[in-house]
Amino acid sequence: MAALKLTCLDCGQVNRVPGEKIADSPKCGTCGATLIDGKPHEVDLATLEKAARTDDLPLVVDFWAPWCGPCRMMAPHFAQAAGQLRGRARLVKLNTEANPQAGGKYGIRGIPMLAAFKGGRETARQAGAMPAPQIVDWVNRAV
Ligand code: ZN
C-alpha cells in the first residue's frame, strides 16, 4: 500500500505514513504527536491550509467560535463523530475568533460550518449544528 501524506496537526510537519500503519496510531517523526487518534484537534489557519492542501486522508473542519452557542452544543457530537470516523477522515476544529482571516479565506457566512477536504480541494460544506450520527453520515457522503 502506498504511503499517505499526513500533516501533523500539532507542529505542521508533513509525515509519510505507510497505508498499513494507519490503524496503529502513527506518530509524527518531528514532535512525536499521534497523527491519527480519533480526537478533534484544534488547528490554526496555517496548519489547516497545509493539511487541506497536502493530506491524503480526508480532512473535515469545524469552523466555530467560543461565543457561538450552537457551536458549543455541537462540540461533543463532533468529538464523537471524530472517534467513529478514525482512520477514514481526520476531524479538526478552527476557532474563527482566534483566526479572523479564516472567514474571508473560506467564505464563511455563519458558524458552525463544516467543510470537507479531499485530494487538495473542498468537496462539501454544511452550515448549522448536527448530531453525531448525522455528522458521520455527512462525512461518509462528502469524502
Ligand atoms: Zn508533529
Side-chain angles (χ1 to χ4, degrees), residues 109-140:
R109 294 202 162 79
I111 52 171
M113 190 194 87
L114 298 186
F117 295 88
K118 189 187 180 186
R121 62 185 193 88
E122 186 178 329
T123 57
R125 58 168 59 193
Q126 171 79 39
M130 293 189 281
Q134 211 179 322
I135 297 171
V136 172
D137 279 354
W138 181 80
V139 171
N140 278 327

Side-chain angles (χ1 to χ4, degrees), residues 29-48:
T30 301
C31 76
T34 306
L35 294 169
I36 300 177
D37 60 7
K39 289 177 196 143
H41 285 249
E42 193 73 47
V43 295
D44 61 17
L45 186 56
T47 305
L48 169 62

Side-chain angles (χ1 to χ4, degrees), residues 7-13 15 27-33 35:
T7 304
C8 174
L9 300 172
D10 285 4
C11 76
Q13 178 65 43
N15 286 259
K27 286 189 168 48
C28 172
T30 301
C31 76
L35 294 169

Side-chain angles (χ1 to χ4, degrees), residues 7-133:
T7 304
C8 174
L9 300 172
D10 285 4
C11 76
Q13 178 65 43
V14 178
N15 286 259
R16 280 169 202 281
V17 180
E20 67 273 13
K21 297 268 192 216
I22 289 295
D24 316 331
S25 303
K27 286 189 168 48
C28 172
T30 301
C31 76
T34 306
L35 294 169
I36 300 177
D37 60 7
K39 289 177 196 143
H41 285 249
E42 193 73 47
V43 295
D44 61 17
L45 186 56
T47 305
L48 169 62
E49 290 189 296
K50 192 171 187 183
R53 199 168 54 227
T54 312
D55 286 12
D56 289 319
L57 198 65
L59 186 75
V60 176
V61 189
D62 171 18
F63 292 97
W64 75 288
W67 50 261
C68 160
C71 297
R72 292 199 306 272
M73 225 167 60
M74 186 167 79
H77 294 276
F78 192 72
Q80 200 184 324
Q84 288 180 27
L85 290 161
R86 180 182 172 164
R88 163 130 178 80
R90 290 201 297 175
L91 275 61
V92 299
K93 294 166 71 78
L94 183 119
N95 181 338
T96 56
E97 193 174 52
N99 298 272
Q101 322 90 306
K105 229 159 201 163
Y106 290 98
I108 302 164
R109 294 202 162 79
I111 52 171
M113 190 194 87
L114 298 186
F117 295 88
K118 189 187 180 186
R121 62 185 193 88
E122 186 178 329
T123 57
R125 58 168 59 193
Q126 171 79 39
M130 293 189 281

